[in-house]
């Protein structure tokens, strides 16, 4: 069984909210008129969909990994916490591969099941023990008898598992490889429809005098990716990307795309466990010593508090800095494994001092992570710093425990020396660094203990320790303590933290999940943290706290409502005079009401209303709101539609509200809603043939209180920002 028929088992949908009455009472006339017209058009589109011949409704709807609710919520909250774009291509690629090569749950090993990263070690262990005790698991319904597998978990893993044992134990050979291997080719193009300042015409003489006034390339973002997969055991792929404004097959990009990435990956089953050549990622322990992929921080799902490491993994993302390039391999004997790795690549960095004789950088001040290579200054910093990394890991895995130790050394070919500031006094400075750490995991009857300790060459230490346990059948608790010295220096760290930097922070997180009844779920967390040293724009040690609570109520088999409240307080600087700096608390509150309703078998309606309030001791209260209506229609395996109309009104940018929106496969969109206006998008997927898919996404954001959007060369003269995105996937 590959997919879960949600209309028969446990649908996850909610009741439609009455936006019209709310809008008439609370909106200004011009906003309400715009909203009313757009909603009417959206209703007509929905009505047109309903008039489609009924025979298409008899087919199964399309299921894609990006539609998994737990992934959407985690990405949404990550965008709000870190306020920077992350590429989760590798994360979704792993799940997408499993939809075509599902895990054979009746004979899969612990490591194979761990590919479902949203399952924790307790759940995996309970599943293996149940299988050993009672034999083969026959259906999805039987999973409900296993501790830790509630309705939500079963719905989550259903598309990625199978109960068949066919094809197990097959040896690798060339005939099987090319007969059953799956190839995919992606081609994507996107651009803004409005003309940004960097693409406007300019006189040749003026451009020659100052080349930084215009972008040399066209405004298209181009992406292409080829991937091969044989039963998730042999994989290879090539990825290429060009950003807007970068040249293409000319000038600074004579080889075509600005960024290329490739890999070959093999998963063995005896002494050779994993090997990858090319671009790859490493995930060890709790992310304190070595973790090179984007990772989720605090989420409303307490089971995701502990990081599930997956060791060596190939990279297919377009993040031009956060990856390793070289080779890595994991060897094992029984329960003992050893991983070795080496990497060498070029990084973007701001050059401070250059050797006049060789024209090579001697000192760089900052590592650039944007990946843009358009203007002369960006091109001058392009791949100006060489980075070499090598190291290894040893790990012992028992039936109820896991211990490991990791070491790596990093070397640059130039001195990294940040511009001196008080807040970055303890940042890494030099040409070489090394980090060593040890981690552990222990499973007991109703929970787990886990942790990691790490030390950098500077002598700074980081510690993460936590537990997840279930004191009662309907209750799950999680607690994580972390403490990072201010001189703990590790660029490739991604531990559980508030700042994401992994230095100068101490905190305690406590999370809870309580099934009040079969239809009511209560979850939330509290996090108390403090920073031992100055931070950017915070000129003194500071502290903060955060509380989040969410109540989910399943009204019926077709309807569900979620109410979430979040409170967060952090201290910031206030300068009373030229010599004395004081701190003041900044408080932010969010209240969200989210409805889902399955109006028909293939039509889902989603409504959300969110309100935010910012307060401080010095300034008056500032607030904002956002509301949207989603219509998701999946009439068949050939067609899928998703549309949204959103309204927002915030006093300033600080009250921005983030909301995840559906996008083409392997692309992610979590726009920030701020100022005053509306946003609308339409996403269409068409499976033209069995092996050929097309995606089209058109979106537009309209602002009612501004005539200029953006700044610098990205400035748009006007109050609309429109984007169109087209993607093709060919499978062969």
């Amino acid at each position: 069984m590959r997919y879960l028929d949600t209309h028969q088992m446990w649908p996850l949908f909610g009741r439609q909210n009455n936006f019209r009455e709310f809008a008439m009472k609370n909106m200004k006339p011009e906003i309400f008129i715009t909203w009313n017209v757009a909603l009417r058009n959206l209703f007509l589109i929905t009505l047109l969909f309903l008039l489609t011949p009924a025979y298409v409704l008899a087919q199964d709807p399309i299921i894609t990994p990006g539609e998994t609710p737990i992934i959407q919520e985690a990405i949404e909250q990550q965008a709000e916490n870190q306020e920077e774009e992350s590429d989760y291509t590798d994360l979704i690629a792993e799940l997408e591969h499993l939809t075509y090569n599902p895990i054979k749950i009746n004979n899969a090993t612990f490591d194979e099941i761990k590919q479902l990263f949203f399952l924790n070690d307790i759940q995996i262990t309970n599943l293996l023990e149940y299988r050993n005790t009672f034999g083969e698991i026959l259906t999805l319904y039987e999973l409900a008898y296993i501790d830790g597998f509630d309705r939500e978990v079963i719905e989550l893993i259903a598309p990625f598992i199978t109960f068949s044992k066919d094809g197990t134990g097959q040896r690798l050979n060339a005939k099987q490889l090319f007969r059953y291997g799956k190839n995919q080719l992606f081609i994507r193009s996107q651009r803004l429809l409005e003309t940004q300042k960097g693409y406007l015409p300019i006189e040749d003489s003026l451009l020659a005098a100052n080349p930084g006034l215009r972008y040399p390339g066209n405004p298209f973002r181009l992406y292409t990716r080829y991937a091969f997969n044989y039963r998730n055991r042999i994989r290879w792929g090539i990825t290429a990307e060009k950003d807007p404004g970068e040249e293409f097959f000319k000038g600074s990009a004579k080889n075509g795309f600005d960024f290329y990435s490739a890999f070959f990956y093999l998963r063995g089953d005896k002494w050779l466990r994993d090997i990858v050549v090319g671009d790859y990622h490493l995930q060890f322990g709790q992310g304190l010593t070595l973790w090179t992929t984007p990772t989720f921080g605090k989420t409303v799902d307490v089971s995701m508090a502990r990081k599930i490491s997956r060791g060596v993994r190939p990279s297919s993302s377009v993040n031009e800095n956060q990856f390793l390039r070289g080779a890595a391999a994991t060897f094992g004997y029984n329960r003992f494994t050893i991983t070795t790795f080496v990497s060498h690549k070029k990084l973007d960095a701001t050059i401070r001092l250059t050797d006049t004789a060789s024209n090579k950088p001697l000192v760089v001040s900052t590592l650039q992570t944007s990946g843009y290579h358009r203007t002369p200054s960006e091109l001058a910093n392009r791949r100006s710093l060489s980075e070499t990394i090598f190291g290894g890991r040893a790990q012992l895995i028992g039936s109820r425990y896991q211990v490991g130790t990791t070491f790596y050394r990093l070397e640059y070919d130039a001195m990294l020396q940040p511009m001196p500031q008080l807040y970055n006094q303890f940042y890494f400075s030099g040409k070489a660094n090394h980090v060593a750490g040890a981690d552990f995991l222990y499973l007991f009857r109703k929970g787990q203990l886990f942790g990691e300790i790490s030390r950098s060459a500077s002598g700074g230490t980081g510690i993460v320790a936590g537990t997840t346990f279930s004191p009662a059948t309907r209750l799950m608790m999680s607690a994580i303590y972390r403490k990072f010295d201010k001189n703990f220096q590790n660029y490739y760290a991604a531990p559980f933290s508030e700042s994401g930097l992994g230095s100068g922070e101490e905190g305690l997180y406590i999370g809870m999940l309580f099934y009040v009844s079969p239809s009511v779920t209560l979850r939330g967390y509290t996090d108390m943290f403090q920073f031992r040293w100055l931070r950017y724009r915070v000129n003194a040690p500071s502290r903060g706290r955060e509380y989040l609570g969410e109540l989910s109520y399943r009204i019926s088999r077709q309807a569900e409502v979620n109410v979430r409240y979040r409170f967060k307080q952090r201290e910031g600087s206030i300068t009373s005079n030229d010599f004395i700096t004081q701190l003041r608390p900044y408080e932010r509150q969010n209240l969200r009401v989210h409805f889902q309703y399955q109006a028909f078998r293939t039509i889902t309606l989603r409504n959300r209303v969110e309100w935010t309030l910012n307060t401080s001791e010095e300034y008056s209260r500032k607030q904002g709101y956002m509301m949207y209506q989603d219509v998701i229609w999946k009439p068949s395996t050939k067609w899928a539609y998703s549309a949204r109309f959103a309204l927002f009104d915030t006093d300033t940018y600080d009250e921005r509200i983030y909301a995840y929106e559906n996008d083409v496969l392997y692309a992610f969109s979590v726009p920030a809603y701020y100022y005053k206006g509306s946003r609308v998008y339409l996403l269409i997927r068409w499976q033209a043939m069995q092996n050929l898919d097309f995606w089209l996404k058109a979106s537009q954001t309209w602002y009612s209180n501004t005539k200029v959007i953006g700044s610098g060369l990205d400035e748009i003269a006007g109050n609309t920002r429109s984007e169109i995105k087209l993607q093709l996937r060919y499978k062969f």
Side-chain angles (χ1 to χ4, degrees), residues 398-409:
S399 58
R400 286 280 178 177
Y401 68 89
Q402 176 179 306
V403 293
T405 179
T406 307
F407 171 85
Y408 82 90
R409 180 174 175 83

Side-chain angles (χ1 to χ4, degrees), residues 349-350 352 362-367 385 412 414-418 428-431:
T350 303
R352 288 182 56 187
L362 296 176
V363 181
V364 298
S365 60
T366 308
L367 300 181
L385 181 67
Y412 296 131
M415 177 76 69
L416 176 59
Q417 193 175 77
F428 170 75
S429 177
K431 297 183 67 174

